[in-house]
Structure formats: structure tokens, C-alpha cells
Amino acid sequence: MTVAERLNDIQQQIMDACKRAERNPEDVTIVAVTKSVGPQRAREVIESGIRHLGENRVEGLELKMPEIGSDARWHFIGSLQSRKVRDVINRIDFLHSLDRASLAKEIQKRAERPVDCFVQVNVSGEASKSGIGPEEAADFIRLLGAYDKIRVVGLMTMAPNTEEEQVIRNTFRGLRELRDEISSLGLPHAPCTELSMGMSNDFGIAVEEGATFVRIGTAIVGYESGERS
């Protein structure tokens, strides 16, 4: 299948999920995760109508940005080391992995403009996953008010790697409920209206539970390096 054909299938699945959840499909943004493919395949994504591209390494941005540049809105979706902030933060439109005070401090130091950030929350509690605990989220986000280069647009999580749909659904539902709680605080620096959740294998459930950004890799771009996303 071509990128365009895969994308059409993904968009239909999102429309179906929105219909089940009585949502507007226009409220769901597809972030095509191009970390495992080269610039040419990423360009195909752009030509198919997707403008949001996701990378998880500095090297991916450096490889693709000269080819695509401002034709895309760039999302950094991987864990970001503090020492890499200066190489990333002024190249991207969204950061999906803000999860610690030291990272926030480095962003404040390096960013030339306010950056739209998702606070990463480890809803499932798995030791293998990054993110702050749900019980820490509100206090952490309040503290971010001290940094005028950070705008908390929403929360991000990853579901456990399991076939149990209810476990996945509960994870996404937990993030949505937490988002609603934080949004209700009315913090000027943290409108926190968005939910970044759902990947190639579970984005339908994520959409049903309120995702506004879904991070879909191989289901759209296929494989080149063998890395799945």
C-alpha cells in the first residue's frame, strides 16, 4: 500500500471511532511519526495531506528538516535529554515529553519563543515508561508557571503493551480525566485542552476516549529501517 492508501484507511478508522464516541473527526490531529523512514517517505506524507510530523531523535530532525522545512509542523515525541534541548527546542512546534523540572529549566534557558508542550504522564505506572505520576501532575504543572517559555497545551501518555482492550482504555480514560481536572484550574500558562495518546496499534481506542493528537507511525509510513512506532 502507498502512504496515501494507508492514510485513507487511518482516516476512515478515526472517523468510525469518532462516530462511536459522538465526536467531530476534525478535532483529531494525526501526527505521522517518521522516525523510522527517510526524507522521501516523509515527503510522501506531506504530499498526502498530513502536515504534522513526529520525530524522537535530534538526528531525525536534522535529516528531514532541510528537505521538508516549514511544510511541516514538527513534533518531538521522544524522551528529551537536557543536554539535547538546545539542539531541538527551537526547531520544533510541539514537545510531547515534558516530565521533569530540570528539563523545564533547560527549555526556559534555551528557547527563543514559547513552546507548546505536553506533560508526559505515566498513567499505567509501568517502570519501563517515562513520565510523572498522575498524582504529581497538578503540582508539577503549577510549578511550570515560573517559565514563560513553556505553554502546557495538554497531557501525553502511552498505554501498556497489552492485548487487553480494557486496560488500554482505562489508561487513556485516566489521562482524559486528569486533563479535565488540570484544565479546570484555569492556569494561564496551562490551558491543558489537548490529549496526545494513541499509536498505530491503539489509536482507535484513544480517539474514543478523547485523544486530540494521535501519534501514528508504521500504520502510515510503513517500514524502512525495521523500527516500529
Side-chain angles (χ1 to χ4, degrees), residues 41-112:
R41 187 70 60 85
R43 170 57 66 182
E44 288 181 49
V45 173
I46 295 292
E47 292 172 351
S48 299
I50 295 296
R51 292 290 178 267
H52 294 259
L53 300 185
E55 291 288 329
N56 70 337
R57 296 171 189 255
V58 178
E59 294 78 11
L61 293 172
E62 291 175 340
L63 178 65
K64 299 181 182 80
M65 290 192 84
E67 170 69 23
I68 295 168
S70 61
D71 287 347
R73 299 201 73 191
W74 295 93
H75 297 245
F76 195 85
I77 63 171
S79 181
L80 182 58
Q81 296 174 301
S82 295
R83 64 185 179 85
K84 295 282 189 178
V85 168
R86 65 181 174 183
D87 300 321
V88 169
I89 205 65
N90 294 307
R91 289 172 159 167
I92 61 174
D93 299 288
F94 294 89
L95 174 68
H96 288 244
S97 52
L98 179 54
D99 63 354
R100 60 195 187 279
S102 60
L103 178 57
K105 190 177 296 185
E106 192 66 17
I107 291 170
Q108 178 69 20
K109 179 179 177 181
R110 303 292 183 181
E112 297 169 358

Side-chain angles (χ1 to χ4, degrees), residues 73 89 93-96 98 104 107-108 111 113-119 141 144-155 187-194 213:
R73 299 201 73 191
I89 205 65
D93 299 288
F94 294 89
L95 174 68
H96 288 244
L98 179 54
I107 291 170
Q108 178 69 20
R113 52 170 173 75
V115 180
D116 286 342
C117 297
F118 291 86
V119 169
I141 290 171
L144 295 176
Y147 303 111
D148 64 1
K149 294 297 194 297
I150 292 173
R151 180 173 179 263
V152 181
V153 295
L155 306 180
L187 301 173
H189 68 284
C192 204
T193 55
E194 310 300 331
F213 286 78

Side-chain angles (χ1 to χ4, degrees), residues 2-229:
T2 65
V3 167
E5 288 170 336
R6 293 190 191 100
L7 180 58
N8 285 337
D9 183 58
I10 295 294
Q11 289 172 324
Q12 184 60 56
Q13 291 183 59
I14 288 174
M15 289 178 66
D16 292 344
C18 284
K19 186 175 181 179
R20 291 191 295 271
E22 299 183 341
R23 296 186 62 200
N24 185 344
E26 293 182 3
D27 293 336
V28 181
T29 297
I30 296 173
V31 179
V33 179
T34 51
K35 66 181 186 180
S36 61
V37 298
Q40 184 175 349
R41 187 70 60 85
R43 170 57 66 182
E44 288 181 49
V45 173
I46 295 292
E47 292 172 351
S48 299
I50 295 296
R51 292 290 178 267
H52 294 259
L53 300 185
E55 291 288 329
N56 70 337
R57 296 171 189 255
V58 178
E59 294 78 11
L61 293 172
E62 291 175 340
L63 178 65
K64 299 181 182 80
M65 290 192 84
E67 170 69 23
I68 295 168
S70 61
D71 287 347
R73 299 201 73 191
W74 295 93
H75 297 245
F76 195 85
I77 63 171
S79 181
L80 182 58
Q81 296 174 301
S82 295
R83 64 185 179 85
K84 295 282 189 178
V85 168
R86 65 181 174 183
D87 300 321
V88 169
I89 205 65
N90 294 307
R91 289 172 159 167
I92 61 174
D93 299 288
F94 294 89
L95 174 68
H96 288 244
S97 52
L98 179 54
D99 63 354
R100 60 195 187 279
S102 60
L103 178 57
K105 190 177 296 185
E106 192 66 17
I107 291 170
Q108 178 69 20
K109 179 179 177 181
R110 303 292 183 181
E112 297 169 358
R113 52 170 173 75
V115 180
D116 286 342
C117 297
F118 291 86
V119 169
Q120 184 169 357
V121 183
N122 186 354
V123 177
S124 69
E126 291 181 294
S128 61
K129 287 186 167 53
S130 300
I132 63 173
E135 69 285 352
E136 304 171 276
D139 286 343
F140 177 64
I141 290 171
R142 284 191 184 95
L143 291 174
L144 295 176
Y147 303 111
D148 64 1
K149 294 297 194 297
I150 292 173
R151 180 173 179 263
V152 181
V153 295
L155 306 180
M156 184 276 258
T157 201
M158 293 189 293
N161 184 17
T162 177
E163 298 295 322
E164 295 184 51
E165 178 179 323
Q166 196 57 49
V167 173
I168 297 171
R169 189 174 297 280
N170 289 343
T171 300
F172 293 150
R173 187 172 297 164
L175 192 73
R176 186 189 75 224
E177 292 171 351
L178 183 61
R179 185 276 314 268
D180 292 347
E181 174 188 325
I182 292 170
S183 180
S184 72
L185 298 175
L187 301 173
H189 68 284
C192 204
T193 55
E194 310 300 331
L195 287 172
S196 171
M197 57 190 195
M199 299 170 67
S200 289
N201 61 334
D202 56 21
F203 68 87
I205 302 171
V207 169
E208 290 176 5
E209 292 300 330
T212 59
F213 286 78
V214 289
R215 311 178 305 273
I216 304 177
T218 52
I220 294 176
V221 301
Y223 305 96
E224 282 184 352
S225 71
E227 186 174 357
R228 294 175 180 267
S229 56

